[in-house]
Amino acid sequence: MLLKSCCIYSTGIFSMLFLFTGISLVLSNVFPHFVQSMVKKEVVLKNDTEAFEAWENPPAPIYMQFYFFNLTNPLEVLDGDRPAVVEIGPYTYREYRPMEQVNFQDNGTKVTAVNTKTYIFQRNMSRGPESDLIRTVNIPAMTVMERFKDESIVANLIASYMKATAVGLFTTRTVGELLWGYEDALLKALQTLKPELDDVFGLFYKSNASNDGEYVFFTGQQNYEDFARVDTWNGESSLNWWTSDECNMINGTNGASFHPIISKNEVLYMFSSDLCRSLYALYEEDVTVKGIPGYRFVPPSEVFANLTVNPANAGFCVPAGNCLGSGVLNVSACKQGAPIIMSSPHFYQADEKFVEDIFGMNPDKEQHETTIDINPLTGIILQAAKRLQVNVYVEKIPTFSQTGNVRTVVFPVVYLNESVVIDDTSVMKLHVIAVEQNVVENIPFMLIGLGIVLGGIFMFLMCRQKVPESTAAERQPLLST
């Protein structure tokens, strides 16, 4: 009988112990913190780690799609009419971007590398071949005219040459030529004045099988939040194109990797050499990609807003005080003086005037917004789409009759969609991590459940023990009579 009572009370004690332990663990978040600490140790750029292998040679296929804007009314535009364009594309390329010349520094806290990118044309994923013809702005001619418009003698000589050789404001070139380069007659002629001038022009000339310079990244060894963060680019810790220190800062990663343990209220900083600046993205919504949970981050409209909306952007107005408006960025300072203006496709989130100036612009959030879907525990990118548009600043230049009576307009040339979706092998690994995370984080709830079960057994046994005792007490008076 004594042994039976000891077992019953032991059940009650263990029930209370499991309940107390489980509730304490839930309130203290011990196991979630344990999981996070394990991930922080694993997600570091060092040899023989999965994080380093994925950073060095991304396993997921990356595609670069180009959509061109074909001008349909060139003569009318020269007479002052609004340009009308038709979007043509996509022209799709498989992108390979391994990290090369990798070298660890400062006891493994930093790593140097160059990010070589190679583009292979995918005819089966494209609208047509690279030989398709596109009519667009003659960017070399527009650049030359802008460059020499205030030097009357040289400008008149160039204008005469352009007239004699039928070089106009618009040109028709193949997709391959516009992207990867072609020999330009005007640039070749100008080499007599400026021998250092390259006579080949292409929007992505020298960008195929090449890199944008040497990066020094933090490995995350000292602080997990520094994982893959850019320390210097081409030997510099800041830029020199913009007119304020804040705008010249190099912040965040290169956009291909992010640190683990990401929260919804976090600001993700990225440096983009394509845009010649740093930018940031904010949480928008929860998403699921191939069954893996993630957070979607997008650059808010304030990133490219004019200084009246976001005073911090005043430094991006070049020359100082020359601001074009919200949603566009003048990058001529970092594009060898070419009048290149960057924006989102179809001037999404830009001032309405840019959309109205061009017939054929149809901005759409779903198609034209840059998005990054990230697994918050590991920081692995589940899905991403970087969408940028290359435009040219076009205006009437009296010295050059080739500009006719053209309106001052930001003319769209092409927009790109660089996208990636996580590969199935990485999905399987993340599923395993998710299962392990759920098991570990649910241990406190298992203890609480076990405590409740034992508590129920204890109550049942206690009630069962008291029933015979009370029955016996009722029967004793009858026996005494």
Side-chain angles (χ1 to χ4, degrees), residues 207-395:
S207 294
N208 201 351
S210 184
N211 63 76
D212 58 349
E214 184 183 69
Y215 287 85
V216 176
F217 300 94
F218 288 99
T219 61
Q221 180 175 292
Q222 292 179 315
N223 185 341
Y224 78 95
E225 291 184 325
D226 283 338
F227 173 79
R229 181 168 69 84
V230 179
D231 180 35
T232 64
W233 177 57
N234 287 329
E236 301 292 337
S237 58
S238 63
L239 309 172
N240 58 12
W241 297 310
W242 312 111
T243 58
S244 73
D245 291 340
E246 183 177 358
C247 292
N248 277 319
M249 293 175 67
I250 296 177
N251 295 325
T253 71
N254 68 342
S257 305
F258 295 94
H259 69 76
I261 323 300
I262 292 175
S263 64
K264 292 181 179 181
N265 59 359
E266 194 156 348
V267 179
L268 295 184
Y269 287 96
M270 294 158 280
F271 169 67
S272 170
S273 62
D274 294 331
L275 286 171
C276 312
R277 60 164 288 184
S278 298
L279 62 155
Y280 62 90
L282 301 177
Y283 168 83
E284 184 179 69
E285 61 180 345
D286 282 20
V287 295
T288 301
V289 180
K290 294 187 177 182
I292 303 296
Y295 294 162
R296 171 161 292 179
F297 283 80
V298 301
S301 59
E302 290 78 13
V303 170
F304 297 106
N306 64 27
L307 59 85
T308 58
V309 178
N310 184 2
N313 281 347
F316 291 119
C317 299
V318 288
N322 182 27
C323 302
L324 294 175
S326 289
V328 296
L329 178 68
N330 181 358
V331 295
S332 59
C334 64
K335 302 295 181 183
Q336 292 78 49
I340 302 295
I341 310 295
M342 302 298 290
S343 70
S344 292
H346 287 252
F347 299 110
Y348 172 70
Q349 289 187 331
D351 287 343
E352 189 63 26
K353 66 177 182 179
F354 298 112
V355 178
E356 293 176 350
D357 281 348
I358 308 292
F359 183 82
M361 294 293 98
N362 299 292
D364 178 75
K365 174 181 171 67
E366 189 71 24
Q367 297 182 58
H368 303 142
E369 182 178 54
T370 291
T371 61
I372 309 167
D373 299 340
I374 305 174
N375 177 251
L377 177 64
T378 61
I380 291 175
I381 295 177
L382 304 177
Q383 183 173 259
K386 182 176 79 173
R387 292 158 174 156
L388 296 173
Q389 182 167 296
V390 180
N391 312 278
V392 179
Y393 185 78
V394 174
E395 65 175 347

Side-chain angles (χ1 to χ4, degrees), residues 72-113:
T72 61
N73 62 338
L75 297 179
E76 290 82 356
V77 171
L78 290 173
D79 287 335
D81 285 356
R82 182 171 66 145
V85 299
V86 175
E87 180 185 299
I88 298 179
Y91 295 92
T92 305
Y93 295 78
R94 173 71 187 273
E95 179 181 331
Y96 298 89
R97 49 185 307 166
M99 290 290 183
E100 298 179 337
Q101 301 174 34
V102 177
N103 182 33
F104 288 94
Q105 298 180 343
D106 297 349
N107 296 320
T109 60
K110 295 179 183 179
V111 58
T112 65

